[in-house]
Amino acid sequence: MLFTATRRQLLLLAIAALAFPMANATTINQLIIGTGSVTGVYYPAGGAICRLINKNQPQRTIRCSVQATEGSIANLQALQAQNINLAVVQSDAQLAALKGIEEFASTGPNSALRSLFSLYAEPLTIVARQDAGINSLSDLPGKRIDIGNPGSGDRSTMELLMRAEGWKADTFAQLGGLKGAERAQALCDNQFDAFIYVVGHPSGTIKEASGNCDINLVPVMDDAVKQLLKQHPEYTTAMIPGRLYRGVDDDIPSFGVVATVVTTESLPEPVAYAIVKAVFDNFEQFKRLHPAFSSLDKKRMTEQGLTAPLHPGALRYFKENGLIK
Ligand code: GLU
């Protein structure tokens, strides 16, 4: 009797186990968004996007999580390898991956790349120790500088500036390749005279540096930069606002890119639509999630820096909401 009951129970359990997933046949889409170093702006930006996605779909069929990464170049490689589904990347890196140039010359064009929307401007930012006496680009040769880790957009854009200026590795007393989260401490420990960051403002890394030692931001504008801007329309002049960091009261001129959110054509249309809707329907809330988002503008976010075709899900949302024709 006992034996029979147990067998019946087991049978019922087995039927329930089989029937359960069929009764709840909704697919869960696990989304991983590749960002950057934890003290940059990509990481909290990814967190803000995921938070809105996870909160704002009634069916809860999408679960978004954030991954800290080496930065733009690494994110685009991970997207192509399908290790992540979404990424925050610099607009110049997006273009390079789409065309298969620069760091992407060996892998070739990624025709599956799709853009969703762009975010804020990322000026090339040179943070120097005040005692290093770096007040313009011409003071940089002979100094110890950190140009960022391989895989970061920082390093990639700085290498372009170095080519434009005619600088080589041996132009500098030392050339480092630290991750974003390591740069502030290395600067304040006097391991470097300056570090590069292509980043939105304010950024955690630069706040950390300015809080722990005396810094200045170096204006990034001279004839070579003006020439670079003429040859590369993907870059524009960009101002780093004053009064965001201790000791930096004036606006600092530079050039830069915009941060963009990209995916691939394999992301299902309704999922891309839901992602864009979560951010754009809750825009005021989104803007409050990071100070670098405060001046975001919906219309600009549908066009700036997006060289990869818009994902059809994003396109549908933008059309439905009159953001594009
Ligand atoms: N622009 C940097 C990169 O592409 C990352 C900046 C950030 O993490 O906010 O690697």
Side-chain angles (χ1 to χ4, degrees):
M1 193 60 191
L2 184 68
F3 178 65
T4 321
T6 310
R7 271 185 56 174
R8 265 187 65 189
Q9 277 172 357
L10 279 177
L11 193 64
L12 283 172
L13 266 176
I15 291 168
L18 279 173
F20 188 73
M22 284 167 68
N24 294 272
T26 35
T27 326
I28 303 291
N29 291 279
Q30 298 278 3
L31 291 181
I32 301 173
I33 180 162
T35 59
S37 198
V38 290
T39 57
V41 184
Y42 286 6
Y43 187 77
I49 293 168
C50 276
R51 190 184 155 139
L52 291 182
I53 295 171
N54 292 341
K55 264 180 62 181
N56 290 292
Q57 11 114 33
Q59 312 295 334
R60 304 223 177 264
T61 51
I62 309 173
R63 283 198 204 113
C64 181
S65 57
V66 186
Q67 199 170 77
T69 71
E70 309 286 294
S72 287
I73 309 297
N75 289 346
L76 285 155
Q77 288 162 344
L79 260 187
Q80 190 153 21
Q82 298 189 358
N83 292 332
I84 57 176
N85 332 75
L86 286 176
V88 189
V89 303
Q90 290 180 199
S91 49
D92 55 346
Q94 182 192 135
L95 177 77
L98 187 75
K99 286 192 172 170
I101 55 172
E102 308 282 341
E103 285 88 352
F104 304 94
S106 57
T107 41
N110 182 359
S111 56
L113 196 63
R114 295 292 176 269
S115 48
L116 291 178
F117 50 85
S118 56
L119 293 167
Y120 49 83
E122 295 189 280
L124 187 141
T125 307
I126 304 183
V127 185
R129 293 177 62 86
Q130 248 176 43
D131 61 11
I134 306 172
N135 299 306
S136 69
L137 284 174
S138 59
D139 295 326
L140 272 182
K143 296 292 197 295
R144 303 165 301 163
I145 66 165
D146 189 283
I147 62 167
N149 58 289
S152 69
D154 319 310
R155 191 183 184 97
S156 163
T157 308
M158 183 56 187
E159 282 173 349
L160 181 83
L161 176 64
M162 286 171 65
R163 288 201 295 277
E165 298 283 352
W167 295 337
K168 305 264 174 342
D170 64 7
T171 302
F172 303 99
Q174 200 180 313
L175 200 72
L178 293 176
K179 292 183 185 175
E182 301 164 337
R183 292 173 210 162
Q185 191 175 350
L187 185 84
C188 290
D189 285 351
N190 203 6
Q191 291 168 27
F192 290 97
D193 298 308
F195 71 79
I196 308 321
Y197 215 162
V198 179
V199 74
H201 295 284
S203 92
T205 303
I206 303 175
K207 276 216 180 281
E208 184 190 338
S210 66
N212 293 341
C213 56
D214 292 335
I215 62 142
N216 62 290
L217 300 185
V218 183
V220 185
M221 195 47 67
D222 64 5
D223 288 343
V225 172
K226 286 179 192 154
Q227 200 57 35
L228 182 154
L229 289 172
K230 271 190 202 147
Q231 284 163 2
H232 293 270
E234 67 271 28
Y235 297 95
T236 56
T237 54
M239 205 54 104
I240 303 160
R243 302 186 173 275
L244 292 178
Y245 306 108
R246 189 181 68 88
V248 185
D249 292 334
D250 298 332
D251 293 354
I252 305 292
S254 184
F255 76 97
V257 292
V258 292
T260 66
V261 181
V262 291
T263 182
T264 64
E265 63 182 4
S266 63
L267 187 76
E269 198 268 3
V271 178
Y273 181 89
I275 294 167
V276 176
K277 184 176 167 60
V279 172
F280 280 68
D281 275 6
N282 300 284
F283 200 58
E284 289 312 309
Q285 190 191 347
F286 182 67
K287 286 206 309 194
R288 282 194 301 272
L289 291 176
H290 195 283
F293 299 170
S294 59
S295 57
L296 287 182
D297 172 77
K298 279 188 180 178
K299 183 101 183 81
R300 279 206 307 267
M301 288 168 70
T302 66
E303 47 198 35
Q304 266 185 344
L306 304 178
T307 46
L310 273 179
H311 190 287
L315 188 65
R316 175 158 67 93
Y317 181 89
F318 295 152
K319 280 191 171 164
E320 279 178 10
N321 289 276
L323 290 161
I324 54 180
K325 287 197 195 84

